[in-house]
Amino acid sequence: MKKKLFYILCILLLGILTACSEAQDPMTELLKDPYGDYEETGGEIAFVFDGVIEDGSYNEAIYEGIRMYALAAGISFSNYGTEEGSPKDHVAAIEHAVLSQAGIIVCAGYDFQEAVVELQGEYPEISFLLIDGSLEDGEDGKVKLQKNVHCVLFREEESGYLAGYMAVLEGYRRLGFLGGEKEPSMTRYGYGYLQGIEDAAQDMGLEDVTVNYYLGSFLPMQETKELAQQWYEAGTEVIFVCGDSLYEAVLEAAKEKDGMLIGAGRDQSGISKRFLTSAIKDITKGVIISLDDYYASGRKWSKDFAGKCVRYGASNRCTGIPVQDTEWRFQNVTREDFLGIYQRIRSGEIKVFDEMKQKPHLDIIVNYF
């Protein structure tokens, strides 16, 4: 079974390479559904999420992983969005998928933790894949994962570090971080970003680097835009924006105030030339790896995945920044500069912290909002 699925993925990769040479948009070609594997309801793989799928960021990255795997393996899949994104809505979306005969339910994000905690024991015959969650209950620490649950986490702090370091190396001295809800993955992005900025400043002997930093709760889009405008007007040159569609508001401000952005989650260079780079995590790859384990093990998690959390990072080539010609926006630093730092992270020479309980001690000036 494992060899069969590995062969399917090899064919998938071959299809990508072929499409790259024959089509202007290889991803569009790749994700066509000639056999009708997508179903409105009733798909074997169910994707539950908040907001919209095509968000240019988080949900879309998860969905691409599901589609790529399902279309390559000939497995049906369906999507179940929530209206308000409350814990009650999350439970309802999952139960809708269960009643629609889903075999495995892919849950998009930390906010689905509570629902999975509640339902993992109620539906032992259903497998759960929780992206960016580890089933923490907020009071007693971590909840025991049952064998039908697998969690995928990422070392976002590594991507944040690289984005911050490279921005300073490029020549930026007034930087910003504008995040949404204060949850683990966003916190890791932010703390890694600050550490990368500080290390670059120290390596370059700089004493004039400052960072505006906001991470607390999702602001309404207009308030997000106004905050970004204030920062740009006060001299901030580039803002790392982290949190689903928040980039849309910051991008509007950047266009009006001649500022730059750093994206999060996936490469956002195609959205606008205002994106200097993106602190990426390969969510799509994490989803594909997980689904391959589930199906290779006979529609259940293997012993290495069942009831466990994994964290993918630079050592798995799942964190970093985009380096292709069409994505590279740096003018003063090269890919070789980036790869030198990247390899030091992969080898463990540079250790990027992910402490989330308190603000990091930094020598650079950070203005917390």
Side-chain angles (χ1 to χ4, degrees), residues 36-328:
D37 292 315
Y38 171 74
E39 300 177 6
E40 289 293 329
T41 61
E44 184 175 333
I45 303 173
F47 178 36
V48 295
F49 59 94
D50 293 329
V52 297
I53 287 180
E54 295 181 350
D55 60 355
S57 185
Y58 187 77
N59 288 344
E60 195 167 330
I62 297 174
Y63 188 48
E64 281 184 2
I66 294 171
R67 290 177 70 187
M68 289 172 69
Y69 191 88
L71 294 176
I75 298 167
S76 62
F77 60 102
S78 300
N79 307 312
Y80 305 87
T82 69
E83 293 185 3
E84 298 180 1
S86 68
K88 182 178 179 181
D89 289 322
H90 297 157
V91 169
I94 290 173
E95 291 187 328
H96 186 187
V98 171
L99 292 174
S100 300
Q101 308 304 309
I104 179 170
I105 299 176
V106 183
C107 302
Y110 174 84
D111 288 341
F112 276 86
Q113 287 190 159
E114 186 175 332
V116 175
V117 168
E118 179 179 338
L119 299 176
Q120 62 173 343
E122 188 171 340
Y123 298 109
E125 74 283 5
I126 302 295
S127 293
F128 294 91
L129 173 58
L130 179 59
I131 306 298
D132 281 327
S134 57
L135 299 197
E136 296 175 354
D137 64 9
E139 293 183 2
D140 300 322
K142 292 185 178 180
V143 174
K144 180 176 176 58
L145 292 177
Q146 299 196 20
K147 297 297 184 181
N148 59 331
V149 179
H150 178 63
C151 299
V152 172
L153 303 171
F154 296 88
R155 300 190 183 281
E156 294 92 349
E157 67 275 10
E158 296 176 345
S159 298
Y161 180 98
L162 289 162
Y165 195 103
M166 295 297 289
V168 175
L169 203 60
E170 175 70 3
Y172 292 101
R173 302 292 180 263
R174 305 284 296 277
L175 303 100
F177 177 85
L178 207 164
E181 183 181 1
K182 190 174 183 180
E183 52 96 347
S185 65
M186 291 189 191
T187 305
R188 289 193 291 266
Y189 269 131
Y191 280 10
Y193 183 60
L194 292 179
Q195 187 180 346
I197 291 170
E198 178 175 53
D199 284 0
Q202 291 179 346
D203 290 347
M204 298 172 70
L206 302 175
E207 297 181 354
D208 59 345
V209 177
T210 61
V211 185
N212 287 336
Y213 190 96
Y214 174 86
L215 179 63
S217 61
F218 275 108
L219 297 172
M221 296 299 279
Q222 184 58 34
E223 290 186 26
T224 299
K225 179 181 177 180
E226 290 173 357
L227 180 59
Q229 286 176 321
Q230 292 172 14
W231 287 5
Y232 285 132
E233 288 173 353
T236 297
E237 300 163 294
V238 57
I239 298 175
F240 180 10
V241 56
C242 180
D244 298 333
S245 58
L246 282 183
Y247 75 86
E248 295 175 1
V250 180
L251 179 56
E252 288 185 22
K255 289 177 178 177
E256 293 176 7
K257 303 299 179 181
D258 195 26
M260 297 294 289
L261 291 78
I262 293 172
R266 60 182 299 168
D267 174 28
Q268 295 181 304
S269 62
I271 296 174
S272 170
K273 292 184 178 180
R274 293 284 171 184
F275 283 92
L276 173 68
T277 189
S278 300
I280 59 175
K281 58 181 183 181
D282 200 338
I283 299 172
T284 299
K285 182 177 180 181
V287 170
I288 291 173
I289 291 171
S290 301
L291 290 175
D292 193 43
D293 177 85
Y294 171 79
Y295 283 100
S297 302
R299 288 178 165 79
K300 62 181 180 180
W301 299 119
S302 69
K303 65 178 182 179
D304 292 330
F305 280 57
K308 297 180 180 178
C309 294
V310 297
R311 286 190 70 191
Y312 296 116
S315 61
N316 314 100
R317 299 188 185 279
C318 280
T319 54
I321 62 173
V323 295
Q324 299 300 318
D325 288 343
T326 55
E327 306 159 346
W328 191 261

